[in-house]
Amino acid sequence: MMRSVLPTELARGQVVIVFARWLLVLVGLLVAIWNPDPLPQLRLQIAVILLVAIANFVMHAQLLRHRPTMEAVAYGASLGDLLVISLLIASQGGSSSNLFIFYFPAVLAIAVAFPTRQAAGLSILAVGLAVMVNLIGPAGDDEIILRALAIGAVALIGNAYWRLHRSRISTASPAPSAETEDLFWGQVATLWARWAIVLGGALLVLSRASTTVELAMGILPVVALLTVNFYLHGRYLMERPANRQLTIVASAVDLAIVVGLYLTWPGASGMSNPTFVLLYPLVFAVGLVFPPRLSWAFTSVCVLVYGLLVAASGLSGTSDAKILVERVVILAAVGGLGSLYWRIVRREARSVESHEPSSDTSLAWQPVRAS
């Protein structure tokens, strides 16, 4: 039942993909023009960006004219996005390139646009490509695994939310309240984002600790977060999700843990610190849980905190400033794309409820008892 995709669903998912692709084009131009690479690389970058822009204009025009979206074309275009990103990363030296962050909005869009089987296939391909191109360069194995984990977490969060939303559409029943419903449906996203932080934190601590004291002190906050998420995930499975206040507090704790991992990272500091990638699944998940005014506030705090952490470590010239701008722009965009899909879900849910005001069918996740 979940394997088929409705034309309207595909079209709504393509809205996110089109916005994500315009983001890649605009940030790609910023990357190419600001402190440009050598001429051969610059030519390749601009040519690829222009081709992506032209292709995206065609797809955007289809959406504006309310033309049906062809599945094969949609899948092919998303595959092309992943290949283009990989090509640009490889041309800049693999793991030494900052362009790997482009995988996050690309995989995010795929996760909420396609059914699970197709989204999983494209996301696995994205993770595989990310690992392959990052093997070119000086990055350590734990840094490559951390990047792959964060990209995979974004895919898992997005499609888990897509599946719940699809189930909700298929069930003709009004929700008990919009606020409670949004909170319940979104919590699966924050739970998976928290698991990603737990796994990423454990990986970094276990791989980089040089003494038993460092290992013991570093693993304590990870174990504390693990305990918290066991509790919250257990409530979710028992259909007793956390209320808004508890969810906000838990997300703030997630951010604090990421900051702690950043500060205790034993390797190079500043722009070379790899722990920032855990912020991307976090802001995406929050964007799927809360209304834009709250999710944007959280995203802004994450952007500000990361900017302050890097600034405190010191920026070495224009190159570091360029990388910082790229990272925070993509971070803000990931949160924005999450909010965009939240709006699409809310609008579609209201449409379903207005057309079918009466039904005795119970939703799979009822009863919801926020406490």
Side-chain angles (χ1 to χ4, degrees), residues 189-190 251 281-291 294-296 298-299 339:
T190 57
S251 298
L282 179 57
V283 298
F284 177 41
V286 171
L288 295 176
V289 176
F290 296 111
L294 288 177
S295 63
W296 268 107
F298 184 83
T299 300
S339 293

Side-chain angles (χ1 to χ4, degrees), residues 34-327:
W34 184 4
N35 193 23
D37 292 317
L39 186 58
Q41 291 185 21
L42 183 61
R43 285 173 176 166
L44 175 63
Q45 292 168 10
I46 292 179
V48 169
I49 291 169
L50 290 178
L51 287 175
V52 172
I54 293 171
N56 202 43
F57 175 78
V58 173
M59 295 196 70
H60 203 161
Q62 288 288 97
L63 292 176
L64 293 175
R65 297 171 67 186
H66 301 288
R67 297 288 182 85
T69 303
M70 296 178 62
E71 292 186 40
V73 173
Y75 299 144
S78 294
L79 174 61
D81 293 339
L82 298 178
L83 294 176
V84 164
I85 294 170
S86 303
L87 175 64
L88 291 176
I89 295 172
S91 71
Q92 290 192 347
S95 63
S96 59
S97 171
N98 189 54
L99 298 185
F100 77 91
I101 59 175
F102 281 18
Y103 281 119
F104 290 109
V107 169
L108 179 159
I110 288 169
V112 300
F114 299 125
T116 300
R117 178 180 294 179
Q118 290 84 350
L122 289 170
S123 299
I124 291 172
L125 176 63
V127 172
L129 289 171
V131 171
M132 289 176 58
V133 296
N134 278 285
L135 289 174
I136 308 170
D141 292 341
D142 52 355
E143 295 182 41
I144 296 175
I145 294 174
L146 184 64
R147 292 179 181 184
L149 174 65
I151 295 169
V154 167
L156 180 60
I157 290 166
N159 201 253
Y161 191 85
W162 182 94
R163 287 176 64 85
L164 287 173
H165 174 48
R166 177 71 183 275
S167 176
R168 170 188 170 190
I169 295 173
S170 301
T171 306
S173 174
S177 73
E179 181 177 353
T180 302
E181 181 184 2
D182 289 338
L183 187 60
F184 183 93
W185 283 70
Q187 269 186 55
V188 69
T190 57
L191 291 171
W192 285 118
R194 197 167 295 115
W195 284 127
I197 295 173
V198 168
L199 291 176
L203 168 69
L204 293 177
V205 173
L206 293 174
S207 64
R208 292 299 178 110
S210 57
T211 66
T212 55
V213 174
E214 285 186 5
L215 180 58
M217 295 300 294
I219 207 67
L220 280 178
V222 176
V223 171
L225 187 62
L226 175 68
T227 304
V228 169
N229 211 37
F230 265 131
Y231 169 72
L232 294 176
H233 209 151
R235 287 178 61 105
Y236 180 84
L237 294 175
M238 294 174 63
E239 298 182 348
R240 295 179 60 86
N243 61 17
R244 171 176 292 209
Q245 290 75 20
L246 183 55
T247 306
I248 292 175
V249 170
S251 298
V253 171
D254 296 339
L255 176 58
I257 294 295
V258 175
V259 172
L261 291 172
Y262 181 97
L263 294 174
T264 57
W265 171 251
S269 60
M271 304 307 303
S272 300
N273 192 317
T275 56
F276 77 95
V277 297
L278 296 173
L279 292 173
Y280 292 92
L282 179 57
V283 298
F284 177 41
V286 171
L288 295 176
V289 176
F290 296 111
R293 65 180 183 277
L294 288 177
S295 63
W296 268 107
F298 184 83
T299 300
S300 299
V301 170
C302 290
V303 168
L304 178 61
V305 167
Y306 180 62
L308 290 175
L309 288 173
V310 172
S313 302
L315 294 173
S316 57
T318 306
S319 178
D320 276 1
K322 174 183 174 181
I323 293 174
L324 177 60
V325 170
E326 292 170 8
R327 290 179 179 179

